Amino acid sequence: MKRIAIFASGTGSNAEKILAYFKDSADIKIALIVSNKPDAGVLQIANRHKVPTLVIEREAFFKGDGYVPQLEAHQIDWIILAGFLWKIPTTLLKGWEKRIINIHPALLPKYGGKGMYGNAVHTAVIQAGETSSGITIHFVDEHYDHGAIIFQATCSVFPTDTPEALATRIHALEHKHFPRVIEQVITT
Ligand code: GAR
C-alpha cells in the first residue's frame, strides 16, 4: 500500500476526485491533505472524507525542516500537488526524489512558471490567441512547472472563451485523467 499526501491551496476539486477514485483501492491510500491556507476548501473536503489534514506555514516550510517529520510520521511515499501555490523546497525534493507529481492547467513548457496559477494561466492563453490548451502532469524539480512530463491532454480554446469558461473545460480534463495517471505512475 502506497501512502499519498495531496498538497492543495484552493477549492480542491482535483483532490476530491483523487479521494473518490482511490476510496476502495488496495494499492493507494490518501493519507494526508496538506494546505498552506487555513481556509482552503480542500480542508473541508478532507474532513468530509475523514482524511487527516496539515496546515503549513511559510517560515517552517521554506526555512525550517519543510514539515519532513510530519510527512514521515504519516509514512508518506508520494506527494501529489493539486493546485498548490508554493514552490517545493529542496528538503522535500531530496526526501521524495522522483516521487512528487504536479498538475498544471496548460500545455507546458508554455504558460508555466512563477505566478502561473489557475485563471492567470487561462487569461494568458486566451490573450495570446491560442486555439488549443490542455493539461500537463509532470514530475516536480527545483524549478516552477519544469520537471519531466508524464502526460498531456488537449482541448480547444474558442475566440469567445472567458478564463472561467476555459477553466471549466480544463478542470474536466484534469478530473478525467489525473487520478488514473497517478495510479499508473505509482503502481508500475
Ligand atoms: C487546477 O486547475 C490545477 O491545474 C491548477 O490549480 C487548479 C486547482 O483547482 N494548478 C496550477 O495552476 C499550478 N501551477 P482545484 O483546487 O479545483 O483542484
Side-chain angles (χ1 to χ4, degrees), residues 4-179:
I4 293 181
I6 299 176
F7 284 40
S9 304
T11 318
S13 72
N14 277 286
E16 185 147 40
K17 292 290 174 191
I18 296 166
L19 281 162
Y21 187 87
F22 292 113
K23 198 165 153 283
D24 300 316
S25 170
D27 304 314
I28 290 172
K29 182 183 173 67
I30 311 306
L32 185 66
I33 303 278
V34 178
S35 185
N36 59 313
K37 291 200 177 158
D39 57 351
V42 71
L43 295 172
Q44 286 153 30
I45 292 171
N47 290 339
R48 270 210 307 279
H49 286 260
K50 302 196 174 13
V51 175
T53 59
L54 173 67
V55 176
I56 59 174
E57 282 167 7
R58 184 178 285 277
E59 191 77 6
F61 193 57
F62 291 109
K63 299 206 176 115
D65 57 24
Y67 292 88
V68 169
Q70 286 90 333
L71 295 171
E72 284 176 350
H74 285 276
Q75 298 173 292
I76 299 303
D77 299 298
W78 287 78
I79 294 173
I80 305 297
L81 311 184
F84 186 64
L85 268 175
W86 289 351
K87 201 167 175 188
I88 298 300
T90 318
T91 39
L92 289 193
L93 290 171
K94 280 198 183 130
W96 281 266
E97 201 182 348
K98 299 253 167 65
R99 286 181 295 137
I100 307 180
I101 296 172
N102 181 43
I103 190 160
H104 186 77
L107 297 171
L108 293 175
K110 289 171 95 174
Y111 305 106
K114 195 166 163 49
M116 279 299 191
Y117 177 81
N119 273 3
V121 177
H122 307 312
T123 302
V125 167
I126 290 167
Q127 278 176 359
E130 299 282 1
T131 54
S132 66
S133 188
I135 63 168
T136 303
I137 298 169
H138 65 96
F139 288 108
V140 173
D141 67 10
E142 63 270 38
H143 306 290
Y144 269 114
D145 301 325
H146 179 265
I149 291 174
I150 300 164
F151 175 88
Q152 290 186 308
T154 61
C155 65
S156 299
V157 180
F158 302 111
T160 52
D161 264 340
T162 58
E164 291 73 22
L166 181 53
T168 302
R169 214 170 297 129
I170 294 284
H171 262 124
L173 273 186
E174 294 186 326
H175 298 165
K176 178 177 173 198
H177 294 291
F178 200 19

